[in-house]
Amino acid sequence: MPPQASNSSRIDLATLADLAQKLAQSAKSRGVDLAEVKAGQGWELDTKVRLGQRELVQEAGHKSVALRVMRDQRVAVTSSSDLSEAGLERLLRDAFELLELSQPDPFAGPAPSELLQQKTDLDLDLLDPEVDRVDAARATEMATQAERAALDYDKRITLSEGATVSRVTGGSVLVLADGFVGTQLGSYISIVVSPVVEDQGGKRRRGHYWAARRHLADLEPGEEVGREAARRTLRQLGPRKIDSCEIPIVFDPDTARSVIGSFAGCLLGGAIWRRSSYLAEREGSQVASPLITLIDDPLIPRAPGSRVFDGEGVASRRNVVVEQGNLRTFLLDSYAARKLSRSTTASASRGGGSVSASTSNFIMQAGSQSREALIASTAKGLYVTEMMGQGFNPVTGDFSRGATGYWIENGELTFPVSEVTISSNLDRMMKNIDAVANDLDLKTSTAAPTFRVAAMTISGT
């Protein structure tokens, strides 16, 4: 049987670019100062098996277009998935109706033309045709093998919430003023396994593990994902409650990423000019431990958040945001830059036509010691593997989340812990990080290794 054609070979960037350029020209001909268009196309597949039986197969393709127009410093944004002639005409009418209703904004406008990316063909190796050659049958087989590895790992594991394999491939075209036309292509594939084990008293404990990459060849084997999911599930047997106390907290990479993501949200231009971030007046000062360096780098080959240009067409660049604990820069799009009398940091993202500042690959730099060594150096503490709730106030920095994990005693993980709340202030947390491991993994665009906060409050029994 010949190999299946990949969806990526059917992403017609030339047709998307032609559509986007014609839409921009049509908007311009109707009397706007500026017309920007983003058109996209892609395919997604989700498959799930549970106890060896297929539960879900869902595959879909999509196309969309978004238009942003400006006139007399008024801005309107519209988007649609109807790319027919009638659909595009409705899109234009809606944009001009919204334009009449909008108020002038003296800070509205495009990014400076001299900053636009000239090397739009720069290859960051973000697309793997092998990803969307993973059809439903193969994805189901991958999920089945991964779940089977979890169930075979230990006879106590007889239940499962399933294993899921998902993949996505997409392409987009951005058309701006001054003839800028930029294209981007990318792929992403992930696998997650969630075994369940019965505990004393009839309670069931669920664990999970997952892996993801842009290239299929880089994806962790499904069998190993299943075995690691089983190990994590078995470690949850016999959880205990603990007394309220103040102790060191060790965050594993998944929960560390969540903490760093909260910090990243306080660095974005919109939060800064609105003064809705506790970091708004802190540029140039110490905001974290000297062990911490945070970098936003969109130019890493094969990384989840990589891009050749940002949402305004500005050439991507590496931004050192926090260097050895000192805040060096905020992340700005051109609008926030004008509000703050600064220059864009090439940090714009465009969603549905709207533009705002965002991170790309926002990464805490890894330390030199292993995760095992970091835990071994912790006399007593809590190793957090999962957090619940949204208990973070970006204005004050107050942080409070439900958590589960494992008690650390004399440098070893001893028993699982559940039903606790960990709390502090993010400013103190970042400054009190006293150990960073070397287990950084770029599964997602925000990434951090295991790290330890010297002291946080635990609300237990």
Side-chain angles (χ1 to χ4, degrees):
M1 177 181 291
Q4 178 184 334
S6 69
N7 291 321
S8 58
S9 66
R10 301 201 302 268
I11 296 176
D12 191 347
L13 290 178
T15 299
L16 284 177
D18 183 61
L19 179 148
Q21 289 174 304
K22 287 181 178 178
L23 184 60
Q25 290 167 2
S26 181
K28 286 280 287 183
S29 69
R30 301 186 189 198
V32 295
D33 302 324
L34 182 73
E36 302 175 341
V37 179
K38 183 176 182 180
Q41 180 180 14
W43 284 266
E44 301 172 2
L45 171 69
D46 293 292
T47 61
K48 181 179 180 181
V49 299
R50 182 174 178 272
L51 297 177
Q53 300 298 311
R54 182 184 295 180
E55 278 200 345
L56 171 71
V57 176
Q58 180 175 289
E59 187 166 16
H62 66 269
K63 290 184 178 180
S64 63
V65 63
L67 170 67
R68 184 170 79 145
V69 292
M70 302 183 197
R71 184 173 61 200
D72 299 328
Q73 293 190 303
R74 300 183 179 197
V75 181
V77 174
T78 54
S79 61
S80 176
S81 58
D82 183 356
L83 305 191
S84 68
E85 187 173 334
L88 295 177
E89 181 61 30
R90 280 196 301 272
L91 181 75
L92 284 164
R93 285 202 309 268
D94 290 346
F96 279 84
E97 288 178 5
L98 290 170
L99 200 59
E100 293 301 317
L101 297 172
S102 66
Q103 296 295 315
D105 187 338
F107 300 100
S113 58
E114 67 273 13
L115 299 180
L116 299 184
Q117 175 63 272
Q118 303 302 314
K119 299 178 181 179
T120 55
D121 59 347
L122 184 65
D123 185 11
L124 296 175
D125 201 13
L126 306 181
L127 175 69
D128 178 17
E130 294 301 319
V131 166
D132 45 30
R133 289 196 179 98
V134 177
D135 59 11
R138 186 176 176 190
T140 300
E141 180 184 7
M142 291 170 63
T144 301
Q145 291 174 345
E147 186 189 47
R148 175 48 53 192
L151 294 170
D152 289 346
Y153 183 81
D154 190 290
K155 64 182 181 181
R156 289 172 291 177
I157 300 178
T158 59
L159 300 172
S160 170
E161 288 190 358
T164 302
V165 171
S166 302
R167 60 129 169 98
V168 60
T169 302
S172 65
V173 175
L174 181 63
V175 173
L176 305 176
D178 301 323
F180 176 92
V181 179
T183 63
Q184 300 192 90
L185 287 166
S187 57
Y188 191 74
I189 185 166
S190 64
I191 181 168
V192 58
V193 183
S194 303
V196 176
V197 64
E198 290 198 13
D199 205 349
Q200 295 179 352
K203 292 187 177 180
R204 293 178 175 179
R205 309 295 179 188
R206 181 190 68 86
H208 76 281
Y209 182 64
W210 66 287
R213 284 293 186 271
R214 281 194 178 271
H215 282 239
L216 181 62
D218 297 336
L219 186 67
E220 192 172 342
E223 291 85 350
E224 184 51 41
V225 173
R227 286 189 287 268
E228 179 60 23
R231 286 189 284 268
R232 294 183 178 214
T233 301
L234 292 170
R235 286 203 297 262
Q236 295 191 44
L237 289 171
R240 306 181 198 174
K241 297 181 180 180
I242 57 175
D243 291 336
S244 298
C245 58
E246 185 173 282
I247 56 167
I249 301 292
V250 179
F251 292 93
D252 82 343
D254 282 340
T255 55
R257 179 177 67 248
S258 179
V259 173
I260 296 307
S262 296
F263 185 79
C266 297
L267 296 164
L268 301 181
I272 302 305
W273 68 258
R274 291 186 181 95
R275 296 296 188 265
S276 59
S277 165
Y278 79 94
L279 295 173
E281 305 292 339
R282 301 282 296 279
E283 193 174 29
S285 67
Q286 183 184 359
V287 296
S289 158
L291 298 175
I292 303 306
T293 293
L294 293 164
I295 295 174
D296 192 71
D297 188 355
L299 297 173
I300 302 173
R302 298 194 179 191
S306 294
R307 59 196 184 198
V308 174
F309 51 87
D310 76 352
E312 296 181 294
V314 176
S316 290
R317 75 185 207 194
R318 181 177 184 266
N319 290 298
V320 179
V321 181
V322 174
E323 186 175 21
Q324 296 180 351
N326 292 308
L327 178 57
R328 297 302 186 197
T329 186
F330 301 121
L331 296 175
L332 312 175
D333 62 339
S334 63
Y335 182 86
R338 283 188 286 269
K339 293 278 285 188
L340 297 168
S341 300
R342 302 185 181 206
S343 298
T344 175
T345 59
S347 301
S349 67
R350 186 178 296 253
S354 298
V355 177
S356 60
S358 76
T359 56
S360 58
N361 297 304
F362 190 76
I363 300 166
M364 176 191 282
Q365 297 296 282
S368 58
Q369 64 180 319
S370 68
R371 164 190 167 276
E372 291 74 18
L374 189 153
I375 293 172
S377 68
T378 307
K380 182 179 292 188
L382 181 66
Y383 180 71
V384 176
T385 58
E386 188 173 354
M387 293 192 295
M388 294 75 73
Q390 303 295 325
F392 173 62
N393 185 330
V395 178
T396 63
D398 290 340
F399 182 100
S400 180
R401 302 280 300 273
T404 61
Y406 305 96
W407 187 253
I408 303 172
E409 191 76 37
N410 297 322
E412 294 183 355
L413 301 181
T414 54
F415 56 84
V417 173
S418 63
E419 299 180 22
V420 298
T421 299
I422 57 173
S423 59
S424 184
N425 181 278
L426 189 57
D427 189 44
R428 288 196 297 272
M429 290 168 63
M430 295 296 292
K431 289 178 179 177
N432 287 337
I433 294 175
D434 63 358
V436 180
N438 61 4
D439 55 348
L440 180 68
D441 185 6
L442 295 184
K443 292 193 290 189
T444 57
S445 57
T446 298
T450 298
F451 64 76
R452 183 178 65 207
V453 177
M456 290 182 66
T457 298
I458 294 181
S459 297
T461 57

